Amino acid sequence: MGEFVAYYRVSTERQRISGLGLEAQREAVARHVGTGQLVAEFTETESGKRHTNRPQLLAALAECRKRHAVLLIARLDRLARNVAFIANLMESGADFIACDMPQANRLTIHILAAV
């Protein structure tokens, strides 16, 4: 199945400390990886509204490029809730899969990001 890099994001420090949301994201990624190999994991505490400060996402994408791996996110809204942000990410050539809709193509992702 290939190599994967996981990116997890919670919106608040309280969520990170309590583990709320992170455990569910890790479980979704683990189910998707299956026989593949999870080579790295990155966790960010950042509001989805402020999408310009994502050092862990940048590090995850760099790791993906280095290893020719696919970025895995549990759900599209954990990546961003901003159409332009997601569109720019897709235009950058980064391969990513949202585990809650692994069969989604570029058009579907654009539509769901807009919703």
Side-chain angles (χ1 to χ4, degrees), residues 2 5 58 84-85 88:
V5 171
L58 295 176
F85 182 87
N88 287 332

Side-chain angles (χ1 to χ4, degrees), residues 12-96:
T12 66
E13 184 66 18
R14 191 173 120 216
Q15 287 175 333
R16 185 190 67 76
I17 291 169
S18 72
L20 289 174
L22 277 178
E23 197 56 41
Q25 290 179 56
R26 284 190 177 102
E27 287 174 16
V29 165
R31 279 191 307 271
H32 184 83
V33 168
T35 61
Q37 183 179 8
L38 186 61
V39 295
E41 296 177 284
F42 296 85
T43 302
E44 195 109 65
T45 303
E46 180 66 44
S47 167
K49 294 178 183 176
R50 294 187 318 259
H51 59 274
T52 57
N53 184 26
R54 300 274 185 88
Q56 292 299 302
L57 177 58
L58 295 176
L61 291 168
E63 189 69 19
C64 286
R65 282 190 295 278
K66 181 174 100 178
R67 295 179 171 269
H68 304 287
V70 174
L71 184 70
L72 277 184
I73 52 174
R75 296 184 352 222
L76 188 60
D77 70 340
R78 295 296 80 206
L79 184 58
R81 292 185 178 141
N82 180 290
V83 179
F85 182 87
I86 291 174
N88 287 332
L89 184 61
M90 289 192 303
E91 288 302 315
S92 76
D95 288 329
F96 67 88

Side-chain angles (χ1 to χ4, degrees), residues 1 32 96-106 108-109 112:
M1 275 207 65
H32 184 83
F96 67 88
I97 295 173
C99 296
D100 63 334
M101 54 182 145
Q103 308 307 329
N105 60 31
R106 293 172 63 86
T108 307
I109 290 172
L112 292 170

